[in-house]
Amino acid sequence: NCGPMALAAVLSLPTVEAVREFVQPFRGFMSPTDMRAALDRAGVKHRDVDRPAHGLIRIQWVGPWCDLPDPRVAYRYTHWIGVRDRESWREVYDATPNRWVPIDEWARWCPSLYPKRATGWRMATAIEVAR
């Protein structure tokens, strides 16, 4: 799952199993509240920001589900990634290739991740995580 995998990457843990105790109970997805609770359980300082230099971003895939009266429907179309700034470049951790990639490379193949009928993405949640 993208949430636990992004969390493990941002915390520099070797495997998703290493964060299992922080994401309990796991319901098959992680809401922003779940992610903040996992960070609290891990004892890691964090805060909501506009653009994290090192942290987690929940992407909202944009599509017709965003215009429905029940906003919970749009939650089904979200995806967690990790981000980190290096000396002269920015990287994104995505669970799909299961690795850190330069942001320009990620931006090129990101449309292949879009659910059917998606027209793009936007940042829905951004959490800065202490290193």
Side-chain angles (χ1 to χ4, degrees):
N1 182 274
C2 62
M5 291 179 75
L7 177 62
V10 167
L11 296 181
S12 299
L13 296 172
T15 65
V16 70
E17 286 79 23
V19 297
R20 192 171 310 278
E21 67 183 270
F22 307 138
V23 297
Q24 296 299 323
F26 183 61
R27 301 170 291 162
F29 64 91
M30 290 184 77
S31 70
T33 301
D34 296 333
M35 187 62 80
R36 290 182 195 101
L39 289 163
D40 288 342
R41 283 187 208 102
V44 177
K45 290 184 181 183
H46 59 90
R47 63 189 174 97
D48 289 0
V49 294
D50 291 331
R51 180 185 184 272
H54 179 85
L56 297 150
I57 293 175
R58 185 176 59 93
I59 291 172
Q60 173 67 64
W61 302 118
V62 177
W65 44 84
C66 293
D67 298 326
L68 297 175
D70 184 353
R72 294 175 297 177
V73 175
Y75 262 77
R76 296 183 202 142
Y77 300 93
T78 60
H79 182 60
W80 285 101
I81 60 172
V83 293
R84 65 183 180 188
D85 286 342
R86 301 313 244 171
E87 290 180 24
S88 60
W89 72 92
R90 187 168 176 91
E91 292 181 316
V92 172
Y93 173 85
D94 195 301
T96 305
N98 192 21
R99 65 185 175 93
W100 289 97
V101 296
I103 191 144
D104 57 338
E105 180 183 327
W106 182 82
R108 281 193 302 274
W109 63 258
C110 178
S112 69
L113 301 174
Y114 291 2
K116 288 183 180 178
R117 302 181 307 162
T119 57
W121 65 274
R122 64 177 169 79
M123 195 166 36
T125 305
I127 304 171
E128 180 76 24
V129 176
R131 297 175 201 242

